[in-house]
């Protein structure tokens, strides 16, 4: 098997790049860097995410081995999500991306306005 090269369409790393490039996946990973969260706590932390989207995102991250889901047999049932050791290795990169976006949004917004003034918008 050749070395992975995400520039190639057949590279198996491409779906993983798409997953971690998803805004909700990135934000879930950054939030879970603080420690385990219950589903409702995680949903409140990620303002604007729907229950359905959070369920899909956590399920996908669990399938990828980045997050664990623990169900506690209590009444009411309690579910917690936590980063795996593999997920923890990704935290520095996604935290860096989040920080960059928070620092750079204004410059990007200005660049978009300049572009739109020259080229128009669709």
């Amino acid at each position: 098997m050749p070395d992975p090269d995400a520039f190639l369409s057949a590279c198996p790393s491409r779906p993983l790049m798409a997953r971690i490039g998803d805004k909700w996946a990135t934000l879930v990973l950054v939030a879970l860097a603080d420690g385990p969260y219950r589903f409702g706590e995680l949903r409140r932390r990620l303002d604007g995410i729907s229950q359905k989207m959070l369920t899909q995102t956590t399920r996908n991250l669990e399938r990828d081995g980045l997050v664990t889901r623990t169900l506690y047999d209590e009444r009411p049932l309690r579910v917690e999500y936590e980063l795996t050791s593999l997920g923890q290795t990704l935290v520095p990169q996604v935290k860096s991306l989040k920080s960059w976006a928070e620092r750079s949004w204004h410059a990007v917004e200005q660049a978009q306005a300049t572009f739109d003034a020259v080229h128009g918008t669709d």
Side-chain angles (χ1 to χ4, degrees):
M1 178 175 209
D3 288 337
D5 182 352
F7 288 115
L8 301 175
S9 64
C11 182
S13 69
R14 275 241 185 132
L16 182 56
M17 288 190 66
R19 171 93 64 238
I20 60 177
D22 173 75
K23 79 172 173 186
W24 292 122
T26 299
L27 291 173
V28 165
L29 292 167
V30 172
L32 291 177
D34 295 336
Y37 272 85
R38 293 176 69 167
F39 186 87
E41 294 171 326
L42 193 53
R43 186 166 178 215
R44 284 187 294 280
R45 178 79 174 111
L46 303 173
D47 186 40
I49 193 169
S50 69
Q51 181 172 337
K52 179 182 177 182
M53 183 55 66
L54 181 56
T55 299
Q56 288 174 349
T57 301
T58 53
R59 185 166 294 150
N60 288 334
L61 292 171
E62 182 181 12
R63 182 172 182 262
D64 292 340
L66 302 172
V67 169
T68 59
R69 177 182 183 270
T70 304
L71 177 64
Y72 295 92
D73 189 18
E74 301 172 353
R75 295 294 176 240
L77 288 176
R78 180 170 56 110
V79 177
E80 278 189 352
Y81 295 90
E82 187 171 13
L83 292 174
T84 63
S85 56
L86 180 62
Q88 290 171 355
T89 66
L90 185 55
V91 166
Q93 289 79 12
V94 293
K95 275 188 169 183
S96 179
L97 178 61
K98 177 183 173 283
S99 294
W100 179 88
E102 291 167 344
R103 282 190 319 272
S104 304
W105 71 268
H106 189 68
V108 171
E109 191 176 70
Q110 287 177 329
Q112 291 170 343
T114 300
F115 180 93
D116 292 348
V118 172
H119 301 284
T121 59
D122 292 320

